[in-house]
């Protein structure tokens, strides 16, 4: 028999996040939830959260439904970005370098890599397939990706070199 190999140019990454880790931030002082959301979410994702849930920053203490919706949203994005880093083999990617895009007309979700510190006039972006699922207190994401474009790899290599220079 002859075995047909899996296409080697594809890679997969998976991550799981417990939503309680985010829900717990609602009960901390000094707006830790807002700071965490701004760190994890791309500005476009933060804008979507604000439009869907305008009171997300100041929910009633006993509004568990709102807290669950916000935690589920953030956990899904967090898991998606961690899965993308694994799929692309690029742990140097930051949360702001990645964004989840939902296209309801076409019925698909993707994650886009667009390093926020690109210095050129025509920044590169690369998309990968994304699946996010939620069950109870967990959000899980899987990303199927092709290797990062050489231009994106060059940007990340430059970032690593700059980080190493700062440490030295």
């Amino acid at each position: 028999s002859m075995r047909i190999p899996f296409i080697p140019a594809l890679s997969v990454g998976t991550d799981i996040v417990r939503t309680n880790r985010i829900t717990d931030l609602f009960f901390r002082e000094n707006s830790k939830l807002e700071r965490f959301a701004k760190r994890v979410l791309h500005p476009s994702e933060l804008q979507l959260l604000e439009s869907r849930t305008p009171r997300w920053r100041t929910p009633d203490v006993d509004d568990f439904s709102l807290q669950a919706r916000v935690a589920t949203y953030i956990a899904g994005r967090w898991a998606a970005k961690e899965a993308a880093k694994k799929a692309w083999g690029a742990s140097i990617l930051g949360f702001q370098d990645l964004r989840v895009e939902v296209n309801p007309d076409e019925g698909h979700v993707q994650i886009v890599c667009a390093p926020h510190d690109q210095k050129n006039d025509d920044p590169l972006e690369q998309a990968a397939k994304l699946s996010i699922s939620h069950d109870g207190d967990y959000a899980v994401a899987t990303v199927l990706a092709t290797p990062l474009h050489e231009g994106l790899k060059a940007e990340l290599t430059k970032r690593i070199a700059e980080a190493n220079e700062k440490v030295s």
Side-chain angles (χ1 to χ4, degrees):
S1 73
M2 185 172 130
R3 178 180 289 178
I4 300 172
F6 183 75
I7 301 169
L10 293 177
S11 59
V12 66
T14 300
D15 197 68
I16 186 169
V17 174
R18 198 181 76 217
T19 57
N20 290 351
R21 293 174 70 182
I22 298 162
T23 307
D24 290 347
L25 296 175
F26 279 102
F27 305 105
R28 302 262 172 97
E29 296 176 16
N30 302 327
S31 185
K32 290 194 184 235
L33 175 68
E34 187 172 351
R35 280 189 305 193
F36 181 74
K38 285 182 178 178
R39 184 172 66 88
V40 171
L41 299 176
H42 185 273
S44 64
E45 296 168 323
L46 192 57
Q47 184 178 23
L48 182 59
L49 175 62
E50 303 227 6
S51 69
R52 286 182 176 176
T53 318
R55 297 181 314 108
W56 75 272
R57 287 184 174 93
T58 56
D60 295 332
V61 175
D62 58 350
D63 191 347
F64 301 115
S65 174
L66 176 70
Q67 294 170 17
R69 282 195 317 273
V70 171
T72 298
Y73 179 84
I74 295 172
R77 272 30 186 201
W78 185 6
K81 293 174 184 200
E82 291 293 345
K85 290 179 187 189
K86 292 172 185 175
W88 277 315
S91 60
I92 191 76
L93 284 169
F95 290 123
Q96 299 297 312
D97 298 324
L98 300 162
R99 70 179 182 275
V100 173
E101 291 183 350
V102 179
N103 186 335
D105 296 335
E106 295 179 20
H108 73 272
V109 180
Q110 60 185 8
I111 189 149
V112 177
C113 173
H116 71 281
D117 57 355
Q118 291 184 67
K119 310 248 184 319
N120 54 18
D121 294 332
D122 190 19
L124 288 170
E125 292 187 353
Q126 183 170 340
K129 294 290 186 183
L130 168 65
S131 175
I132 303 175
S133 294
H134 304 277
D135 186 17
D137 292 334
Y138 294 92
V140 64
T142 301
V143 171
L144 183 63
T146 57
L148 274 176
H149 183 275
E150 290 303 318
L152 290 170
K153 281 186 189 175
E155 287 285 336
L156 296 177
T157 300
K158 188 174 9 175
R159 185 185 290 182
I160 291 168
E162 289 169 359
N164 288 337
E165 285 177 15
K166 289 179 184 176
V167 171
S168 301

